[in-house]
Amino acid sequence: MSTTWTDAVVVARYDATPRIAVFELARADGDELWEYEPGAHIDVQLGEAALVRQYSLCGPPGIRKQYRIAVLNEAASRGGSRAMHALAEGDTLRIAEPRNRFSLTSARRHLLLAGGIGITPLLSMAQTLDATGGDYHLHYCARSRSEAAFLAELENHPRVTLHFDDQAPEQLLHLERDLGDPAPDTTVYVCGPGGFMDYALGRAAELGWPASALHKERFSASPAAAEPDGGGEGGFTLRVSSTGAEYLVPEDQSVLDVLLANGVEAPYSCGQGICGECIVRVRAGEPDHRDDILTDEERAEGLFTPCSSRSRSPILELEL
């Protein structure tokens, strides 16, 4: 699957907080951008080093003249957030057609749980639900008011509750109260830093929420996803089904690394098993899944992420 790119220009930039910058992007040729559904993200290609990073679209879907993204300046940045924060109005970059593996499902009620920069995809969901009359409530958690983005859009909204770490204890997020027991035809969406997501998803499971009702998007791979769950250690042989070619995948390289090193065309983007761009199908062998995006049903159907997952069997054949 090829990725479609276009040149874009920064038409507006402002600091939403001391660490979060908001960018309005438009096509450099003035044409309309692609349509997208809430929860979608875009790849952004930056600078001469051709860094590629993923950012959630947080503007109202349906507006195709501009995209809005918000970028946290990460202290442990691999270069992407620093490069984004260095951009000014008038600067150019390349963006790819939106992808979405965090879409709104058909449900009677939606509960949105955002932590920090995780507000970005959930804000788009809330805007869509407002426009369509959907039933929802958004809980937005941040360390303080000064570190919360989009307050002007969220404060005093009847379907939004703000939770700041420096508030009184009763104003903090309490999932027993704010999420409660599972409710019929209700879905939960969680996005934010790893610790926030692990807490929210773990507590939801303890409260009895089924996995089918919990939807998540991570901005980096969780430790549980990155580490093996038994087996799958050492090297193995990778077979490409279309050609029959076989390649050794050593312990210190990913399947994707080996494919690209041998000239095999394979889609990819994040390299962490969280965006879904590289997903292929297993034809034979037993995969060792280490992604943080595929559902149990998708894994059972044979889907696989070459950027992060490995093999439990001596030979793994992929549909490429």
Side-chain angles (χ1 to χ4, degrees):
M1 180 175 59
S2 61
T3 300
T4 304
W5 293 84
T6 191
D7 293 322
V9 61
V10 178
V11 295
R13 181 206 189 279
Y14 68 90
D15 291 329
T17 77
R19 296 179 60 211
I20 297 176
V22 177
F23 300 87
E24 300 278 356
L25 308 175
R27 279 182 62 126
D29 60 11
D31 286 350
E32 288 190 333
L33 291 156
W34 301 278
E35 292 184 3
Y36 68 93
E37 297 296 324
H41 66 268
I42 56 171
D43 287 353
V44 174
Q45 189 179 81
L46 296 157
E48 297 178 359
L51 292 172
V52 177
R53 297 292 184 266
Q54 296 75 41
Y55 299 108
S56 296
L57 293 166
C58 54
I63 297 178
R64 298 179 57 189
K65 293 301 291 183
Q66 293 184 8
Y67 284 166
R68 181 172 70 171
I69 60 174
V71 181
L72 174 68
N73 196 352
E74 292 276 8
S77 170
R78 295 177 295 147
S81 68
R82 284 197 300 271
M84 285 296 300
H85 275 249
L87 293 175
E89 290 183 19
D91 286 343
T92 59
L93 64 166
R94 286 176 61 76
I95 62 174
E97 185 174 2
R99 298 194 307 274
N100 197 345
R101 289 188 59 86
F102 190 47
S103 57
L104 279 170
T105 61
S106 177
R108 180 188 59 82
R109 180 168 168 77
H110 307 268
L111 296 175
L112 315 178
L113 306 180
I117 194 63
I119 186 60
T120 49
L122 300 184
L123 179 58
S124 180
M125 291 183 182
Q127 292 166 333
T128 297
L129 291 167
D130 278 334
T132 58
D135 185 6
Y136 78 96
H137 199 90
L138 167 63
H139 294 273
Y140 179 23
C141 304
R143 292 179 180 175
S144 65
R145 289 182 58 86
S146 65
E147 297 189 52
F150 306 114
L151 277 184
E153 299 177 37
L154 297 171
E155 202 162 30
N156 301 318
H157 192 296
R159 293 184 181 273
V160 176
T161 302
L162 303 174
H163 306 275
F164 302 126
D165 290 353
D166 56 2
Q167 288 179 321
E170 62 270 15
Q171 294 176 299
L172 300 176
L173 179 70
H174 293 288
L175 291 182
E176 294 84 349
R177 175 197 66 204
D178 299 322
L179 185 61
D181 295 329
D185 200 17
T186 298
T187 52
V188 180
Y189 307 81
V190 185
C191 189
F196 171 83
M197 293 192 62
D198 292 341
Y199 164 72
L201 293 168
R203 193 71 192 96
E206 291 173 357
L207 290 168
W209 286 85
S212 60
L214 303 176
H215 304 270
K216 67 182 186 296
E217 182 168 75
R218 292 184 184 269
F219 296 133
S220 61
S222 67
E227 296 172 0
D229 55 0
E233 291 302 290
F236 57 93
T237 297
L238 170 67
R239 179 184 297 144
V240 177
S241 65
S242 61
T243 64
E246 294 185 349
Y247 310 104
L248 175 65
V249 181
E251 189 169 359
D252 62 347
Q253 292 185 41
S254 70
V255 172
L256 180 62
D257 290 336
V258 171
L259 288 170
L260 297 178
N262 286 279
V264 179
E265 185 174 345
Y268 72 96
S269 182
C270 74
Q272 301 180 76
I274 58 174
C275 80
E277 175 68 4
C278 71
I279 293 173
V280 296
R281 189 173 297 276
V282 175
R283 289 286 297 272
E286 183 184 0
D288 175 20
H289 294 288
R290 304 187 189 184
D291 66 275
D292 205 352
I293 189 167
L294 294 175
T295 65
D296 290 342
E297 292 77 11
E298 289 172 326
R299 292 177 177 181
E301 291 171 3
L303 300 188
F304 180 83
T305 54
C307 70
S308 60
S309 297
R310 300 187 65 79
S311 178
R312 295 175 181 274
S313 53
I315 298 177
L316 186 72
E317 182 176 341
L318 298 182
E319 194 173 283
L320 281 166

